[in-house]
């Protein structure tokens, strides 16, 4: 009898300024089973800010997880309750972001040095809601490259906090001297440490993240761990998601037949936004990679990015973009 795939078998990473509700809507049209994550939302933003602005999402997005940034157990518990009340499928704690702004807030990757505090936060979240509480973290911080550092972090969170799902970015986070962008590229990837975690904690769900870009790479990692989280590749090449349900979840056919069908669905979504008074260009940016690699894709992107067209109806812009892609865009300048 075939086992059901893990709920964390494949997911798109939380990415600041990118994985908003519009981006997630697009991704859900391309894959029905890939798990989606919000941008990181701080506990302070939820407890003292505009909750609907941060937590509202489209019902089509499920399964969707809320990623939190914070360190105070009581605050994390209150926000976990909000996540459940708003209908999320999971609440995830960020212990991997290396930015200085995040460090000043005493959360993100610097929390890996405070495993007991994180465990208390996870336990408080578990007690406050019935959602799965998961943690996303690095394999180490700064020059701490010993396997036992990440092993002990995971062990503490499991034993003291009850966490059973760990999403592991297979790089160290250098808290000084590197920008967040450099922290995604310069510290070396060490997948073997994540594989060791799975071998040492076979009952835990271990998901690997970092530098994975092809279906072949995803399939290779799934031989060692329970799941794969893909980040920037999924954003810049969204059409890649269209093959994932078939390749990794055993679904007979992709949710959409081709890129044009995916574009049509998203244009309809843009029109619904415009009808409610939301500027559609804010959401259109997420699909600019949809035709990457095809002839005319650059011309297509230029039309969708043209500020002169931002007041036109999305379907009108879509027609101009397709004409440009086909080499019939001379009328645009007029």
């Amino acid at each position: 009898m075939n086992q059901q795939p893990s709920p964390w078998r494949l997911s798109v990473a939380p990415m600041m300024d990118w994985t908003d509700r519009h981006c997630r809507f697009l991704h859900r049209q391309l894959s029905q089973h890939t798990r989606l994550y919000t941008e990181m939302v701080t506990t302070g933003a939820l407890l003292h800010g505009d909750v609907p602005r941060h937590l509202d999402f489209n019902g089509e997005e499920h399964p969707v997880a809320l990623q939190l940034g914070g360190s105070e157990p009581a605050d994390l518990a209150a926000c976990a309750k909000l996540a459940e009340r708003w209908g999320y499928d999971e609440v995830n704690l960020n212990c991997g972001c290396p930015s200085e702004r995040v460090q000043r807030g005493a959360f993100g990757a610097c929390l890996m040095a405070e495993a007991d505090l994180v465990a208390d936060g996870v336990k408080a979240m578990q007690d406050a809601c019935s959602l799965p509480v998961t943690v996303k973290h690095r394999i180490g911080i700064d020059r701490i490259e010993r396997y036992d550092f990440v092993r002990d972090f995971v062990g503490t969170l499991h034993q003291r906090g009850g966490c059973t799902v760990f999403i592991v970015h297979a790089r160290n986070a250098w808290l000084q001297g590197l920008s967040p962008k450099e922290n995604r590229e310069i510290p070396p990837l060490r997948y073997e440490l994540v594989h060791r975690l799975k071998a040492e904690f076979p009952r835990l769900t271990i998901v690997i993240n970092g530098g994975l870009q092809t279906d072949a790479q995803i399939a290779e990692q799934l031989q060692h761990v329970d799941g794969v989280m893909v980040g920037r590749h999924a954003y810049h090449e969204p059409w890649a998601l269209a093959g994932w349900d078939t390749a990794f979840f055993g679904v007979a056919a992709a949710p959409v037949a081709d890129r044009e069908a995916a574009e049509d669905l998203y244009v309809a979504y843009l029109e619904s936004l415009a009808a409610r008074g939301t500027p559609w260009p804010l959401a259109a940016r997420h699909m600019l990679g949809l035709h990457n690699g095809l002839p005319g894709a650059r011309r297509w992107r230029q039309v969708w990015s043209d500020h002169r067209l931002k007041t036109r109806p999305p379907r009108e812009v879509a027609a101009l973009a397709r004409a440009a892609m086909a080499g019939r865009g001379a009328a645009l300048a007029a």
Side-chain angles (χ1 to χ4, degrees), residues 4 11 36 69 81 86 129 159 163 171 174 179 186 204 210 275 278 325:
Q4 284 290 103
S11 56
L36 304 178
K81 286 182 181 178
W86 279 80
C129 73
Q159 292 164 11
C163 187
R171 302 181 196 267
W174 293 359
S179 69
I186 292 177
L204 300 184
T278 300
M325 189 171 181

Side-chain angles (χ1 to χ4, degrees), residues 12-69:
V12 175
M15 292 176 280
M16 291 299 293
D17 299 321
W18 287 1
T19 52
D20 62 17
R21 58 183 297 186
H22 309 306
C23 174
R24 298 191 305 268
F25 182 90
L26 171 66
H27 286 173
R28 182 57 69 224
Q29 308 315 302
L30 300 169
S31 170
Q32 296 294 298
H33 298 279
T34 298
R35 203 167 188 86
L36 304 178
Y37 285 74
T38 69
E39 305 167 89
M40 182 187 68
V41 181
T42 66
T43 54
L46 291 182
L47 297 177
H48 309 294
D50 185 340
V51 171
R53 182 172 75 84
H54 290 296
L55 294 189
D56 198 16
F57 64 94
N58 302 289
E60 296 92 338
E61 291 176 37
H62 292 291
V64 60
L66 172 67
Q67 187 184 65
L68 290 176

Side-chain angles (χ1 to χ4, degrees), residues 140-159:
I141 51 176
D142 295 321
R143 302 293 179 168
I144 302 174
E145 298 184 344
R146 306 183 315 273
Y147 167 70
D148 61 356
F149 177 80
V150 67
R151 178 201 64 200
D152 293 349
F153 179 78
V154 168
T156 299
L157 268 58
H158 175 54
Q159 292 164 11

Side-chain angles (χ1 to χ4, degrees), residues 12 21 51 64 66 95-96 98 163 183-184 192 233 243 252 255 260 263 267-269 292 297 300 330:
V12 175
R21 58 183 297 186
V51 171
V64 60
L66 172 67
C95 293
C163 187
N183 256 295
R184 295 190 297 269
E192 67 278 4
H233 176 68
E260 288 73 21
E263 183 183 348
V267 169
Y269 174 71
N292 279 359
W300 180 86

Side-chain angles (χ1 to χ4, degrees), residues 17 27 32 48 100-101 105 116 129 134 148 162 169 175 185 215 237 251 323 325 327:
D17 299 321
H27 286 173
Q32 296 294 298
H48 309 294
E100 290 186 8
R101 181 177 66 85
D116 288 341
C129 73
T134 68
D148 61 356
H169 188 157
L175 302 180
E185 299 168 353
D215 285 6
E237 305 285 345
V251 177
M325 189 171 181

Side-chain angles (χ1 to χ4, degrees), residues 130-286:
S130 62
L131 300 177
V133 175
T134 68
V135 175
K136 187 173 189 292
H137 60 94
R138 298 283 185 127
I139 55 173
I141 51 176
D142 295 321
R143 302 293 179 168
I144 302 174
E145 298 184 344
R146 306 183 315 273
Y147 167 70
D148 61 356
F149 177 80
V150 67
R151 178 201 64 200
D152 293 349
F153 179 78
V154 168
T156 299
L157 268 58
H158 175 54
Q159 292 164 11
R160 286 196 47 181
C163 187
T164 61
V165 180
F166 295 84
I167 302 165
V168 191
H169 188 157
R171 302 181 196 267
N172 272 39
W174 293 359
L175 302 180
Q176 302 293 330
L178 292 184
S179 69
K181 179 178 185 297
E182 289 169 331
N183 256 295
R184 295 190 297 269
E185 299 168 353
I186 292 177
L189 285 161
R190 294 190 291 160
Y191 296 138
E192 67 278 4
L193 266 64
V194 187
H195 301 166
R196 285 183 68 182
L197 283 174
K198 180 59 187 176
E200 185 156 351
F201 299 99
R203 295 182 180 275
L204 300 184
T205 296
I206 304 294
V207 178
I208 197 166
N209 169 233
L212 299 165
Q213 298 188 356
T214 68
D215 285 6
Q217 290 172 336
I218 293 169
E220 165 61 23
Q221 291 300 323
L222 289 173
Q223 301 298 310
H224 304 281
V225 292
D226 301 289
V228 171
M229 175 177 275
V230 181
R232 274 149 182 79
H233 176 68
Y235 187 84
H236 291 304
E237 305 285 345
W239 184 245
L241 278 73
W244 288 358
D245 287 0
T246 300
F248 302 110
F249 293 95
V251 177
V256 285
D258 52 35
R259 300 180 204 228
E260 288 73 21
E263 183 183 348
D264 287 341
L265 286 170
Y266 201 61
V267 169
Y269 174 71
L270 296 179
E271 293 219 307
S272 72
L273 292 179
R276 298 196 300 270
T278 300
W280 61 259
L282 296 175
R285 65 190 174 99
H286 298 307

